[in-house]
């Protein structure tokens, strides 16, 4: 992998990640852009103990542009975009309309390929490995920023999810705090450790699932399963079998195998609902240990946390979506219409030949 860092016309950082070591990235951003001005702030909800990002400048962000005006495609002739070069393998840049910025963290965009009509599931294993390496590098770089306490790499896919740009891409958020979902995991981890005299809760979950009926696919280094209490109609958690706290700690064996299993999992998601159905909308979310202090979580260290990826779709059956209505949105109590055991069975049924 070759990494080349440059700057866009408004001063934002852009990084090319190339498969070839001889790639030259010297194209200049020719757009007449002014420096970006953001109004991002985070506000703490004193009743719930969580935080809300307020970012009014995002109202003006690009919204469903036609394919020939996509800002994530390479620059071609006089058609200027966020990527100055005429081609790329993987590219990462600071979001022009960030939810978090400055002292409130950082937001980046990750373009998986220059092919506008592709998808992550259509990448080669070599391309998917490059994305993994980019996620890992950005996790390392962002972890050193004083305004970042937790790094979150994710992909939103599909208009049903709320995606406004059709080009295959994901995002990376550098939060200035430990996110509420991670804090819940850490509290459960601490309580289980104390109650069992030191047993790791993540290890116990993975061990239970390996012995059960909800495993979807398994390799030497990774296992993917539908969790016992899945929130979403089709939801798979992908864990490395050797517990590590973050992407940085994955060994070469796990890095090599990840593209094989993850691409197969994404392709199965696209086959869940049968032939002729549109691509399955999904969210793919990496969960990594925070880089901040963990004193509030009694006895828990970064090494106790288990890196994993959670992949889920909001489509519950052909042509129907799972909406977060009264119970989910009002009380955070999910109601799942698809039994996790049946979801796992279906995802095994659609395995590729």
């Amino acid at each position: 992998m070759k990494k080349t860092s440059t700057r866009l016309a408004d001063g934002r950082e852009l990084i090319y990640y190339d498969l070839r070591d001889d790639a030259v990235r010297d194209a200049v951003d020719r757009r007449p852009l002014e420096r970006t001005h953001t109004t991002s702030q985070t506000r703490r909800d004193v009743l719930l103990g969580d935080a809300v990002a307020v970012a009014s400048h995002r109202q003006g962000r690009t919204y469903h542009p036609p394919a020939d005006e996509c800002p994530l495609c390479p620059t071609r002739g006089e058609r200027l975009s966020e990527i100055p070069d005429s081609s790329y393998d993987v590219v990462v840049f600071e979001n022009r309309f960030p939810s978090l910025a400055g002292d409130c963290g950082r937001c980046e965009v990750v373009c998986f390929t220059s092919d506008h009509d592709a998808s992550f599931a259509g990448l080669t294993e070599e391309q998917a490995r490059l994305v993994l390496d980019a996620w890992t590098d950005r996790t390392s770089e962002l972890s050193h920023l004083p305004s970042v306490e937790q790094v979150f790499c994710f992909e939103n896919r599909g208009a049903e999810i709320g995606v406004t740009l059709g080009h295959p891409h994901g995002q990376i958020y550098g939060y200035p705090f430990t996110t509420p979902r991670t804090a819940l995991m850490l509290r459960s981890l601490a309580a289980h450790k104390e109650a069992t005299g030191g047993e790791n809760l993540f290890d116990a979950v993975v061990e239970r699932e390996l012995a059960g009926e909800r495993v979807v696919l398994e390799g030497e280094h990774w296992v993917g399963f539908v969790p016992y209490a899945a929130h979403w109609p089709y939801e798979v958690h992908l864990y490395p079998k050797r517990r590590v706290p973050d992407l940085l700690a994955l060994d070469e064996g796990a890095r090599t195998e990840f593209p094989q299993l993850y691409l197969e999992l994404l392709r199965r998601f696209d086959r869940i609902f049968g032939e002729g159905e549109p691509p399955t909308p999904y969210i793919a979310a990496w969960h990594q240990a925070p880089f901040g202090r963990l004193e509030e979580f009694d006895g828990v260290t970064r090494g106790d946390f288990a890196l994993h990826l959670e992949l889920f779709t909001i489509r519950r059956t052909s042509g129907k979506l799972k909406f977060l209505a009264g119970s989910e949105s009002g009380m955070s109590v999910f109601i799942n219409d698809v039994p996790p055991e049946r979801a796992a069975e279906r995802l095994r049924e659609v395995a590729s030949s």
Side-chain angles (χ1 to χ4, degrees):
M1 179 187 78
K2 181 180 180 182
K3 175 183 175 182
T4 306
S5 181
T6 184
R7 292 282 173 180
L8 296 173
D10 55 9
R12 289 175 293 132
E13 185 179 19
L14 180 143
I15 309 106
Y16 295 98
Y17 293 91
D18 285 292
L19 292 167
R20 293 170 51 115
D21 290 335
D22 60 354
V24 177
R25 300 298 184 184
D26 55 6
V28 176
D29 185 2
R30 293 179 282 134
R31 296 173 298 171
L33 298 180
E34 297 181 356
R35 290 274 176 173
T36 57
H37 298 283
T38 63
T39 57
S40 178
Q41 59 177 284
T42 57
R43 298 184 180 183
R44 181 174 174 79
D45 186 319
V46 295
L47 292 178
L48 297 180
D50 60 11
V52 175
V54 180
S56 59
H57 61 275
R58 286 173 52 80
Q59 289 281 30
R61 66 188 186 275
T62 308
Y63 187 80
H64 293 298
D68 60 357
E69 296 179 16
C70 175
L72 306 185
C73 287
T75 288
R76 301 278 169 79
E78 295 306 308
R79 186 196 162 287
L80 308 180
S81 76
E82 288 280 64
I83 297 90
D85 217 323
S86 59
S87 67
Y88 62 84
D89 291 335
V90 172
V91 70
V92 177
F93 60 89
E94 289 183 76
N95 197 323
R96 191 177 179 189
F97 303 98
S99 302
L100 307 165
D103 293 339
C104 294
R106 175 158 160 146
C107 291
E108 298 181 339
V109 176
V110 186
C111 297
F112 304 139
T113 171
S114 60
D115 184 354
H116 180 85
D117 297 317
S119 67
F120 202 119
L123 299 181
T124 65
E125 290 182 14
E126 185 181 36
Q127 290 173 309
R129 168 61 189 266
L130 185 61
V131 175
L132 175 63
D133 290 342
W135 282 331
T136 304
D137 181 72
R138 297 316 302 156
T139 296
S140 175
E141 293 292 329
L142 295 182
S143 72
H144 290 97
L145 296 180
S147 62
V148 171
E149 185 170 310
Q150 185 173 355
V151 179
F152 176 46
C153 308
F154 65 100
E155 179 191 2
N156 296 329
R157 192 247 197 143
E160 300 95 327
I161 298 292
V163 175
T164 57
L165 297 176
H167 196 102
H169 73 288
Q171 299 181 67
I172 303 175
Y173 278 19
Y175 293 103
F177 47 75
T178 296
T179 62
R181 188 174 177 85
T182 302
L184 285 173
M185 293 183 194
L186 291 168
R187 292 188 187 101
S188 296
L189 188 62
H192 185 84
K193 189 174 184 179
E194 181 179 6
T196 60
E199 183 182 65
N200 184 279
L201 180 57
F202 286 111
D203 291 350
V205 167
V206 172
E207 182 179 356
R208 180 186 70 182
E209 296 294 354
L210 277 168
E213 59 181 317
R214 290 180 294 275
V215 171
V216 173
L217 73 180
E218 180 183 357
E220 180 182 355
H221 301 279
W222 295 83
V223 60
F225 54 85
V226 178
Y228 171 74
H231 289 59
W232 299 95
Y234 291 92
E235 175 181 345
V236 175
H237 294 188
L238 188 60
Y239 276 78
K241 290 183 177 179
R242 181 179 70 87
R243 173 166 42 91
V244 295
D246 52 39
L247 290 166
L248 303 172
L250 288 174
D251 60 24
E252 185 56 33
R255 291 183 182 282
T256 299
E257 187 179 79
F258 172 77
Q260 303 165 19
L261 268 67
Y262 186 50
L263 290 173
E264 170 62 17
L265 185 57
L266 290 179
R267 291 161 188 166
R268 291 190 195 188
F269 258 59
D270 274 343
R271 292 193 294 270
I272 296 173
F273 304 104
E275 297 294 330
E277 287 291 321
T280 300
Y282 65 74
I283 292 174
W286 280 108
H287 291 264
Q288 306 191 78
F291 290 94
R293 294 176 296 177
L294 301 179
E295 284 85 350
E296 65 179 290
F297 309 104
D298 296 337
V300 171
T301 67
R302 290 195 79 249
D304 291 325
F305 194 87
L307 167 77
H308 62 284
L309 183 144
E310 298 184 6
L311 174 69
F312 59 89
T313 179
I314 62 171
R315 187 179 291 165
R316 56 187 175 88
T317 189
S318 180
K320 297 179 181 179
L321 301 180
K322 166 64 179 176
F323 292 102
L324 300 189
S327 185
E328 293 89 352
S329 296
M331 284 292 151
S332 294
V333 178
F334 275 67
I335 300 169
N336 191 351
D337 303 306
V338 181
E341 293 73 23
R342 174 54 189 150
E345 181 182 18
R346 177 60 182 156
L347 285 163
R348 290 193 297 268
E349 288 174 351
V350 296
S352 61
S353 58

